[in-house]
Amino acid sequence: MKITILDDYQNVIKELKCFDLLKEQLVQIRHHTEKNPEKLAEQLQDTDILVLTRERTKIDDRLLSLLPNLKLISQTGKISNHLNISDCTKHKVLVSEGIGSPIAPAELTWALLMNTVRQLPQAIEAMKAGKWQINIGNTVYEKTIGIWGYGKIGQLIAQYAKVFGANVIIWGSEKSRAKALADGFSTTNSKEVFFKTADIITIHLRLTKDTLGIIRETDLMRMKENSILINTARAELIEKGALVHCLKKGRPSFAGLDVYEEEPIYNRDNELLKMPQVICTPHLGYVERNSYERYFGKAFENALNYINGHPTNIVNKEIL
């Protein structure tokens, strides 16, 4: 069977130790994301097993209808909105789910938060240009960090903040807030108070039909002067176009972003990249060597198990 791995931006998958699992297999690796379903289907006509790099390519009815030979999709990490399970089931394509880890995304979030608070990238770039001490940042100590979403990543961020001497407030579901209180952190009684109170807000929600656009322009405009928004979750959690509009009005005053409404971004004139108060990273949350070994290792195992006749971690078992 032919295995195709999509969206290896950095050309690193062949260097992973876990790639040895596929040494006896026929493997094709694609390095550039193709968003046009017809053009992508042309590249995948003889593919039996598709290995996805997280959520970089959308899999839906239109694409699947053009891939009659496809038998299995092996997902790196957990399945999200990029992959329509109902469409896969309709076209008799099995889907196997991988495993995830909160560690790399949490560390990236904290690094982005610290760089945004202290304004380090701007100082570094100025120094490279022959300038000295062009700005003045701030500290995390005694700031109030608002965390929306108290899952595995949010819980790690709360502990990081505690170590740095920051105050923590949690917003989210009733269950999340109850868990936060049990862990010794504060919560607020409304979303409005959450946005008005926090000096720094970091978002850690899963993107679902219920959370799409859940952060409104009115929420952002409630943020304090000199406030900071960090988003390493999903750009679509924020009302479309609202963040750019509010940044221009100074609410929030600064932002650290790892996710965007359209990815990847190759246009150097992208509006967010032009804003001096915004620090951008190219969706690096899970992009780290140990995470890649973990994510792709499980995805490759699931592919091999299918080839060997005993599929594992299948989501749509009804078509087995």
Side-chain angles (χ1 to χ4, degrees):
M1 291 188 184
K2 183 172 182 180
I3 300 172
T4 298
I5 305 169
L6 291 182
D7 306 313
D8 178 19
Y9 294 159
Q10 309 99 321
N11 199 6
V12 296
I13 291 176
K14 282 187 176 180
E15 299 174 11
L16 299 176
K17 293 177 182 177
C18 65
F19 190 71
D20 287 345
L21 293 169
L22 302 183
K23 61 185 176 183
E24 303 297 329
Q25 307 300 320
L26 177 61
V27 181
Q28 170 188 224
I29 300 178
R30 309 295 304 183
H31 302 291
H32 301 286
T33 295
E34 177 55 69
K35 292 186 179 291
N36 182 290
E38 285 75 20
K39 290 182 180 179
L40 179 58
E42 289 176 6
Q43 301 169 5
L44 303 177
Q45 278 305 301
D46 56 350
T47 294
D48 300 289
I49 298 174
L50 197 58
V51 177
L52 301 183
T53 303
R54 296 297 292 123
E55 303 167 26
R56 293 175 181 176
T57 290
K58 182 178 180 180
I59 306 295
D60 57 14
D61 183 70
R62 185 179 174 193
L63 175 62
L64 291 166
S65 68
L66 302 172
L67 299 174
N69 296 319
L70 186 63
K71 301 173 181 65
L72 174 75
I73 294 173
S74 187
Q75 173 67 40
T76 51
K78 296 296 184 179
I79 290 168
S80 189
N81 289 356
H82 68 294
L83 184 56
N84 190 305
I85 301 298
S86 296
D87 289 341
C88 293
T89 302
K90 171 186 171 182
H91 290 279
K92 304 263 188 295
V93 176
L94 292 170
V95 178
S96 62
E97 186 173 49
I99 53 177
S101 169
I103 295 173
E107 288 190 2
L108 187 279
T109 298
W110 195 253
L112 190 55
L113 185 152
M114 290 294 295
N115 274 278
T116 305
V117 171
R118 200 66 186 264
Q119 295 287 288
L120 291 180
Q122 294 91 331
I124 292 168
E125 287 305 308
M127 190 174 179
K128 288 179 180 179
K131 300 175 183 178
W132 189 256
Q133 293 192 2
I134 53 93
N135 61 2
I136 182 165
N138 226 308
T139 60
V140 169
Y141 181 71
E142 292 189 337
K143 292 288 189 300
T144 296
I145 297 182
I147 302 171
W148 190 346
Y150 196 65
K152 292 179 180 179
I153 297 174
Q155 289 172 36
L156 284 175
I157 296 301
Q159 294 297 332
Y160 298 166
K162 183 178 179 180
V163 169
F164 274 76
N167 303 308
V168 174
I169 56 172
I170 305 297
W171 180 246
S173 67
E174 188 175 338
K175 182 179 178 181
S176 292
R177 284 177 279 153
K179 168 65 174 168
L181 287 171
D183 290 345
F185 295 107
S186 299
T187 64
T188 64
N189 56 15
S190 71
K191 183 175 70 168
E192 290 75 17
V193 172
F194 176 79
F195 275 92
K196 286 179 180 179
T197 303
D199 299 299
I200 303 163
I201 288 177
T202 179
I203 309 301
H204 300 289
L205 298 172
R206 292 194 68 178
L207 181 63
T208 67
K209 60 181 176 57
D210 294 323
T211 60
L212 179 67
I214 196 170
I215 300 171
R216 314 295 292 179
E217 181 174 327
T218 51
D219 297 321
L220 297 177
M221 290 305 295
R222 288 190 179 98
M223 294 181 72
K224 292 178 172 182
E225 185 178 0
N226 294 319
S227 60
I228 291 171
L229 179 76
I230 305 294
N231 190 4
T232 59
R234 294 292 179 270
E236 295 88 347
L237 295 167
I238 302 175
E239 180 183 359
K240 190 173 180 64
L243 181 58
V244 168
H245 183 67
C246 290
L247 281 165
K248 289 177 179 178
K249 293 186 175 182
R251 296 291 190 277
S253 301
F254 304 93
L257 307 174
D258 191 48
V259 289
Y260 310 91
E261 292 176 358
E262 294 291 333
E263 296 182 16
I265 294 174
Y266 294 116
N267 178 15
R268 288 182 287 184
D269 292 324
N270 181 282
E271 202 162 9
L272 287 168
L273 301 182
K274 295 288 189 178
M275 292 184 170
Q277 75 273 38
V278 179
I279 295 174
C280 297
T281 52
H283 204 153
L284 295 176
Y286 66 93
V287 181
E288 173 268 335
R289 189 164 296 276
N290 291 325
S291 295
Y292 264 40
E293 292 285 1
R294 179 182 177 88
Y295 284 30
F296 281 100
K298 179 56 69 174
F300 296 160
E301 284 179 18
N302 286 335
L304 290 175
N305 288 341
Y306 174 80
I307 291 171
N308 293 328
H310 50 94
T312 51
N313 301 307
I314 300 298
V315 175
N316 50 349
K317 294 180 181 178
E318 63 269 29
I319 60 172
L320 268 175

